[in-house]
Amino acid sequence: MTEHLHVCPLCEATCGLAISVDDGEVAGVRGDDEDVFSHGYVCPKGTLIGQLHDDPDRLRTPMIRDAGGRLVPATWEAAFDLIHERLRSVVTEHGTESLAVFLGNPNVHNVSSTLYLPALLRALGTPNRFTASTVDQFPKQAASALMFGTGLSVAVPDIDRTDYLLILGANPLVSNGSMMTAADMPGRIRALRTRGGRLVVVDPVRTQTARAADEHLAIRPGGDAFLLAAIAHTLVTERLTDLGAAHAHLANESLAAVQSAVDPFTPEAVQPLTGVEAGTIRRIARELAAAPSAAVYGRMGTTTTGLALADGSTLPVGTVASWLIDVVNALIGAVDSPGGVMWALPAFGGPTTEGTPGVGRGATIPGRRRTRVRGLPSVFGEFPAAALAEEIDTPSEDGRRLRALITIAGNPVLSTPDGRRLDRALDSLDLMISLDGYVNETTRHAHVILPPPSPLARTHVDVVFANLAVRNTVRYSPPVLQPGPGERDESDTIMRLTAIAFGIVTGSTEPRAEDVDDLVALTVAQQAVADEASRAHGLDAGDLLAAVAPLRGVDRLLDLRLRSGPYGDGFGRHPEGLTLARVRSAPHGIDLGPLRPRLPEVLRTASGRIELAPAQLVAALGALAPLLDEAPPEPSLVLVGRRQLRSNNSWMHNVPGLSGGSNACTVQLHPDDAARLGITDGMTVRVSTEVGAVTVPAEVTDRVRTGVACMPHGWGHAAPDVWGTTARARAGANVNELVTSAAVDVLSGTAVLGGMAIQVTPA
Ligand SMILES: Nc1nc2c(c(=O)[nH]1)N[C@H]1C(S)=C(S)[C@@H](COP(=O)(O)OP(=O)(O)OC[C@H]3O[C@@H](n4cnc5c(=O)[nH]c(N)nc54)[C@H](O)[C@@H]3O)O[C@H]1N2
Ligand SMILES: Nc1nc2c(c(=O)[nH]1)N[C@H]1C(S)=C(S)[C@@H](COP(=O)(O)OP(=O)(O)OC[C@H]3O[C@@H](n4cnc5c(=O)[nH]c(N)nc54)[C@H](O)[C@@H]3O)O[C@H]1N2
Ligand code: SF4
Ligand SMILES: [Mo]
């Protein structure tokens, strides 16, 4: 029996696992007590990662569609040959504009994707990029980019030092934290309260986090922007603002612009829009101002829930709410202050560590390109996921439409609005290629599926989440197990696809995958030496490559980034600094300390200042003001989402140990609503909107606010060919069949997934 340490790749908490292996098999998993970040914490998903590894339904070889239309196992060469032939014919006939990619959530947990997908996207030359970010966190990233300069300039709560945490629309005791990488949220919240701190949770549902809080405010769905504006209003009118060290870095006039923007949003005026009493709003504002340190944090409920309007539509408010969170943080002096909201300093570098410290290009929000059908703007170079189906199934007059789609680690049929339309649209594609370890509701339409190796048979490093962590650490996890026969490293798969795409799109000889790797490494080295913030600035790119030889693949790229990054050895300039070898020799990771103040160096706005009042956001808030005079009546029922501890979006329902019990797809209703509708606990009900209808069991609970129906996403595994028997036995329903693709927040391209009026009736 041997024990291997490996960071869990399943969610943002990034817990260190200690995995016992007996004769090539996982014998047990526990938390690594000595892990510098997670100190032994794990959740059920992490402890059952061995069942994911062992899942007989997990794909171990590529699948290709045979002449009879069935997906059958194939060799890697047969799969690449098919891709070659079909991609060439689509590009020849319809051009690269007819290609699209959809990137799903696990890509940000996957170092192969993080480091090699940019090359594939460039080689494909497609402008049509869609990701799960536009059903998730882009509102926060858009607001942060406007205020601080980049899409990863997201200030995270300094949860270990704060005295007061106001959480809106997040349930970290179940989600384990998001856009805030913090293992052991239960322990961190306990510690906050033990040291006398206060936790206030704003959520239409009395979630596990709300139950652990000192105070829970059951807000009207979609009301957060109004609540936050009224908190800001109170801080301003009661002269409670104290911006602290950030004050010196504010853009000219931006404080005054914010003060006048929030002026109409009195606590009384927002009361019908929030369901929170004016007196409570004032008190929360005063408490935030009075606490020795305080932080405001919001997640999915603030980014993807809209406000139901009188005409039946749902108003997106995600980017405005995300901005107002940091407005409040700024007004109380929390920005860049210990115990407030701070920026991580990622060891592998990131947008906030590159370029000229303190100034940058800023962000153009929304972007300049438009979708073909609806003319929706791009954001951060991506189109809204809510527009994917129509871009496939709606031809222009000249016949233009998307003809080929590559999905990578995603399941947009279950994760994006109007899933049924996308499900149909995928069948009309000339070519669909999927990189995925399962036949899921999306990949079942593919012509070719290329699987990743088991999560335990690969290197894991959290390059992305180091930008969002509540403490700076660096960890490297080598593979625990050998890849099975036929399993292929995902970096190699991506490089091979890049080579194929490059050959087809440029019409030149197809490079070898190794050439792609060398080119990517050269690019990373060249960027490092050109970047004035890099510890390798001014050195010779060739010397950098020589120094990291003979590493190849992700290790070479990681070493280059680490050594030129903010803690790096600078290739000898900082002999005490980090190298990959040094990180690898610390199996429990290296602690780089608590978050440190980073103003003004962290800023990448064009002004070199904090843009507290970006014009787009001030205008968007202004557009909400008329609702203060005439609040739309609350519909009798609106939809909100929920996450489940033993689920992971759509993709772990086939793991037997996670299945069963409360991990089920139900609609939760308040007893008053259930009584009014003639519904009892456990009854099968029909949930419907103008877009679709699903049938699920009702769960009657006073944990949801009256007028709210709460359903999880990621379910709906009834198709005969998906996942495996465990998932199909408890299939549930796809909540996104109820969600219209019409409501999109144009400032972030992000869909509205909750807050819309729905009907529930006994089935
Ligand atoms: N176990 C588990 N963990 C996960 C995931 C998972 O599927 N399962 N998914 C991961 C992913 S991809 C993400 S993005 C994160 C998400 O992490 P979180 O955002 O923390 O998780 P959610 O459960 O979506 O929490 C959103 C909360 O917002 C509330 N809400 C809905 N509408 C409103 C509103 O209008 N206002 C307010 N104030 N609240 C509202 C909901 O009731 C819900 O409690 O979780 C990650 N972690
Ligand atoms: N109504 C509603 N819809 C939502 C949400 C909601 O709260 N409500 N939440 C949204 C959010 S926050 C998110 S992040 C999205 C998630 O939505 P998606 O990202 O579209 O889908 P996932 O369910 O995460 O599916 C991930 C797929 O990746 C595969 N996979 C896992 N690891 C790897 C890997 O290493 N390599 C490869 N190639 N494949 C891999 C899995 O097998 C699975 O099929 O859903 C969104 N949709
Ligand atoms: S909380 Fe997240 S990272 Fe930690 S064990 Fe669970 S799934 Fe893995
Ligand atoms: Mo997400």
Side-chain angles (χ1 to χ4, degrees):
M1 187 100 92
T2 50
E3 191 173 72
H4 301 256
L5 302 176
H6 198 82
V7 171
C8 179
L10 298 175
C11 91
E12 250 185 79
T14 71
C15 303
L17 306 176
I19 303 173
S20 317
V21 174
D22 190 8
D23 199 17
E25 311 234 337
V26 176
V29 180
R30 56 178 184 82
D32 172 16
D33 294 327
E34 291 171 67
D35 184 278
V36 294
F37 189 63
S38 60
H39 307 288
Y41 181 77
V42 273
C43 87
K45 294 185 295 299
T47 52
L48 290 171
I49 197 165
Q51 290 192 6
L52 190 62
H53 169 79
D54 291 330
D55 185 352
D57 298 307
R58 186 172 60 77
L59 301 179
R60 272 107 171 141
T61 66
M63 304 289 279
I64 61 178
R65 200 163 289 281
D66 70 6
R70 283 164 41 109
L71 279 170
V72 294
T75 64
W76 284 94
E77 282 319 305
F80 287 126
D81 284 349
L82 185 72
I83 290 171
H84 206 283
E85 182 197 316
R86 303 285 289 270
L87 188 63
R88 179 183 296 282
S89 83
V90 175
V91 171
T92 312
E93 260 183 74
H94 304 290
T96 52
E97 298 246 319
S98 70
L99 309 177
V101 291
F102 178 90
L103 309 180
N105 168 277
N107 287 302
V108 278
H109 302 266
N110 177 331
V111 71
S112 300
S113 303
T114 309
L115 298 177
Y116 288 103
L117 281 184
L120 175 60
L121 296 173
R122 263 198 307 279
L124 286 167
T126 167
N128 306 304
R129 193 186 299 180
F130 301 83
T131 80
S133 293
T134 52
V135 281
D136 191 347
Q137 82 292 350
F138 260 13
K140 183 69 197 174
Q141 290 191 258
S144 298
L146 286 169
M147 296 179 81
F148 309 118
T150 87
L152 274 173
S153 304
V154 175
V156 298
D158 184 18
I159 186 164
D160 296 337
R161 288 182 289 191
T162 196
D163 298 293
Y164 193 108
L165 182 59
L166 174 62
I167 295 183
L168 304 105
N171 186 11
L173 288 192
V174 168
S175 68
N176 281 295
S178 178
M179 301 303 276
M180 165 180 69
T181 286
D184 189 13
M185 280 305 296
R188 290 179 201 264
I189 284 179
R190 259 196 318 274
L192 162 71
R193 298 199 53 207
T194 309
R195 65 177 179 264
R198 188 169 169 83
L199 174 66
V200 178
V201 172
V202 179
D203 197 306
V205 181
R206 201 165 74 249
T207 60
Q208 206 162 320
T209 310
R211 299 202 292 280
D214 297 277
E215 182 172 2
H216 168 221
L217 305 176
I219 193 171
R220 170 177 177 178
D224 302 81
F226 299 92
L227 177 70
L228 289 156
I231 291 174
H233 172 100
T234 306
L235 292 168
V236 170
T237 52
E238 298 192 5
R239 300 185 188 284
L240 298 173
T241 62
D242 173 3
L243 286 87
H247 204 159
H249 306 291
L250 290 189
N252 283 344
E253 310 297 331
S254 65
L255 183 55
V258 158
Q259 287 170 341
S260 70
V262 300
D263 189 53
F265 294 82
T266 64
E268 283 74 17
V270 304
Q271 201 170 293
L273 291 149
T274 59
V276 181
E277 294 212 344
T280 306
I281 298 176
R282 286 209 170 82
R283 175 173 53 79
I284 298 284
R286 291 172 194 147
E287 288 174 5
L288 283 167
S293 67
V296 187
Y297 163 75
R299 261 318 268 128
M300 284 299 280
T302 57
T303 56
T304 59
T305 300
L307 182 78
L309 296 180
D311 66 359
S313 67
T314 316
L315 182 72
V317 285
T319 308
V320 177
S322 299
W323 164 58
L324 289 170
I325 285 172
D326 282 336
V327 165
V328 173
N329 277 321
L331 295 179
I332 61 174
V335 171
D336 204 39
S337 165
V341 293
M342 304 185 76
W343 290 278
L345 186 66
F348 295 98
T352 69
T353 69
E354 290 158 5
T356 311
V359 63
R361 266 180 309 177
T364 305
I365 303 281
R368 293 197 181 87
R369 293 185 301 114
R370 293 284 180 276
T371 61
R372 185 177 52 82
V373 178
R374 235 192 296 175
L376 288 169
S378 60
V379 175
F380 298 124
E382 296 183 14
F383 287 138
L388 178 57
E390 70 205 28
E391 294 289 307
I392 297 171
D393 71 16
T394 318
S396 300
E397 271 171 26
D398 58 2
R400 270 188 310 134
R401 62 181 184 86
L402 293 182
R403 305 282 177 160
L405 175 67
I406 305 180
T407 72
I408 305 180
N411 191 3
V413 168
L414 294 195
S415 65
T416 68
D418 203 353
R420 189 165 290 188
R421 178 172 178 184
L422 183 60
D423 187 51
R424 280 193 304 265
L426 295 180
D427 269 337
S428 69
L429 289 166
D430 297 352
L431 174 62
M432 181 169 159
I433 302 166
S434 293
L435 272 61
D436 206 292
Y438 284 93
V439 180
N440 69 24
E441 290 70 19
T442 301
T443 64
R444 75 192 183 97
H445 298 280
H447 299 97
V448 187
I449 307 179
L450 306 174
S454 155
L456 298 179
R458 56 172 101 160
T459 298
H460 179 77
V461 175
D462 287 293
V463 174
V464 178
F465 295 119
N467 291 274
L468 301 167
V470 301
R471 189 174 178 94
N472 295 311
T473 62
V474 57
R475 292 170 295 168
Y476 175 98
S477 307
V480 174
L481 299 167
Q482 294 296 316
E487 284 192 340
R488 190 185 160 99
D489 181 72
E490 200 156 29
S491 305
D492 291 340
T493 302
I494 297 170
M495 286 188 245
R496 181 70 183 273
L497 287 176
T498 305
I500 292 173
F502 183 87
I504 291 172
V505 171
T506 63
S508 52
T509 341
E510 185 176 312
R512 296 172 311 157
E514 304 90 274
D515 303 333
V516 174
D517 196 13
D518 288 338
L519 196 63
V520 172
L522 178 63
T523 309
V524 171
Q526 284 171 336
Q527 281 166 352
V529 299
D531 178 2
E532 67 177 273
S534 151
R535 287 196 166 185
H537 181 234
L539 298 178
D540 179 73
D543 291 344
L544 264 57
L545 291 172
V548 298
L551 298 176
R552 298 194 62 79
V554 293
D555 284 352
R556 175 165 55 173
L557 305 183
L558 289 171
D559 203 18
L560 285 170
R561 286 183 56 162
L562 195 57
R563 298 179 72 175
S564 45
Y567 310 87
D569 82 336
F571 298 86
R573 283 176 173 168
H574 300 264
E576 76 299 345
L578 294 180
T579 63
L580 192 63
R582 208 161 280 167
V583 172
R584 290 195 64 166
S585 68
H588 307 283
I590 297 176
D591 183 27
L592 302 167
L595 302 182
R596 279 175 280 165
R598 289 192 59 192
L599 279 176
E601 145 292 302
V602 71
L603 298 174
R604 293 294 184 276
T605 49
S607 61
R609 306 234 137 210
I610 297 173
E611 294 293 346
L612 195 63
Q616 306 87 313
L617 298 175
V618 171
L621 180 61
L624 299 181
L627 293 169
L628 299 170
D629 301 325
E630 204 178 346
E634 255 191 278
S636 56
L637 267 186
V638 300
L639 180 69
V640 302
R642 74 171 183 273
R643 275 173 166 70
Q644 297 164 296
L645 186 59
R646 287 176 298 134
S647 286
N648 202 16
N649 297 318
S650 76
W651 75 277
M652 291 184 70
H653 293 145
N654 205 49
V655 174
L658 295 172
S659 174
S662 62
N663 198 21
C665 181
T666 63
V667 58
Q668 295 175 332
L669 294 171
H670 189 273
D672 292 351
D673 290 316
R676 172 171 63 82
L677 298 164
I679 291 167
T680 53
D681 191 58
M683 183 186 267
T684 303
V685 296
R686 182 176 187 272
V687 186
S688 62
T689 60
E690 77 283 3
V691 193
V694 298
T695 307
V696 288
E699 191 183 331
V700 179
T701 165
D702 67 4
R703 285 184 180 162
V704 300
R705 186 183 198 272
T706 49
V708 161
C710 179
M711 267 185 81
H713 72 286
W715 295 87
H717 310 304
D721 50 352
V722 297
W723 303 104
T725 45
T726 307
R728 285 198 303 271
R730 292 168 59 86
N734 178 6
V735 70
N736 282 317
E737 288 185 18
L738 305 173
V739 175
T740 174
S741 59
V744 172
D745 175 19
V746 289
L747 289 168
S748 62
T750 302
V752 172
L753 303 172
M756 64 288 286
I758 60 165
Q759 289 77 47
V760 181
T761 52

